[in-house]
């Protein structure tokens, strides 16, 4: 069995301060064409002829004494005449079997509470606020059912006054005509 050669890029070690930064930046453009754009930065796992393709793993640094680092994925704010870029997280189509899942989860805590999962939509200054849309998958297969949507509050498992979490759904309030349904 043979392995392809590895490429490792590592920032420099610091004995008493902050470790060295590693920056990968796509090329800039000075084009005045409105369709001109800066170069992409692409990170891809390796292809395979018969086995599974390589994974792409993004992980923050560990601290032996304090907090681990953050993983921040965001688009930059737009210029005066444009919109900000989208963040797209999706799995590929499957030729045989189920397509890949997307899991958004926070870790457990040994001495504190579990972390929150927040889904927040931006406000609109001159237009409507953005929507939050949750939609289960459709099926056109005979005798099969579409995907379900399950929202469950957390278990309060203690026998000494433990209480299950609340499930609260409310429409937005209105300062003009009428509130949402």
């Amino acid at each position: 069995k043979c392995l392809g050669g590895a490429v490792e890029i590592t920032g420099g070690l610091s004995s008493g301060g902050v470790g060295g930064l590693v920056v990968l930046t796509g090329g800039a453009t000075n084009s005045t064409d409105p369709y001109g754009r800066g170069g992409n930065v692409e990170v891809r796992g390796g292809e395979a002829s018969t086995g599974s393709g390589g994974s792409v793993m993004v992980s923050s640094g560990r601290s032996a004494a304090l907090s681990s680092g953050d993983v921040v994925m965001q688009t930059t704010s737009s210029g005066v005449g444009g919109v900000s870029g989208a963040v797209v997280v999706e799995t590929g189509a499957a030729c045989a079997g189920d397509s890949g899942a997307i899991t958004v989860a926070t870790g457990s805590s040994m001495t504190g509470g579990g972390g929150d999962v927040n889904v927040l939509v931006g406000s609109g200054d001159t237009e409507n606020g953005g929507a939050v849309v949750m939609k289960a998958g459709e099926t056109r297969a005979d005798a099969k059912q579409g995907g379900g949507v399950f929202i469950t509050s957390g278990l309060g498992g203690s026998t000494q006054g433990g209480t299950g979490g609340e499930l609260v759904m409310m429409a937005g309030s209105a300062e003009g005509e009428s509130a949402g349904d």
Side-chain angles (χ1 to χ4, degrees):
K1 306 283 184 179
C2 295
L3 297 175
V7 175
E8 182 171 333
I9 302 174
T10 306
L13 172 67
S14 172
S15 297
V18 179
L21 183 68
V22 175
V23 179
L24 300 176
T25 304
T29 179
N30 292 323
S31 172
T32 57
D33 187 328
Y35 294 101
R37 59 182 177 81
N40 295 338
V41 175
E42 301 186 5
V43 180
R44 302 183 185 184
E47 298 184 0
S49 298
T50 55
S52 298
S55 299
V56 175
M57 293 175 282
V58 179
S59 177
S60 67
R62 177 182 178 275
S63 169
L66 296 176
S67 302
S68 62
D70 297 329
V71 174
V72 179
M73 181 173 56
Q74 65 180 21
T75 64
T76 301
S77 299
S78 73
V80 294
V83 299
S84 61
V87 175
V88 180
V89 180
E90 64 179 348
T91 65
C95 295
D98 298 338
S99 63
I102 295 176
T103 301
V104 180
T106 64
S108 300
S109 173
M110 297 177 62
T111 59
D116 296 331
V117 175
N118 298 312
V119 180
L120 306 175
V121 178
S123 302
D125 289 338
T126 59
E127 294 291 342
N128 296 330
V132 175
V133 179
M134 298 176 60
K135 182 175 184 286
E138 302 175 357
T139 181
R140 290 180 173 76
D142 294 340
K144 301 295 181 182
Q145 69 179 28
V149 175
F150 304 92
I151 302 176
T152 306
S153 61
L155 169 71
S158 172
T159 58
Q160 305 298 318
T163 304
E166 296 180 324
L167 181 60
V168 180
M169 300 179 66
M170 63 176 62
S173 58
E175 296 182 4
E177 292 294 325
S178 59
D181 296 329

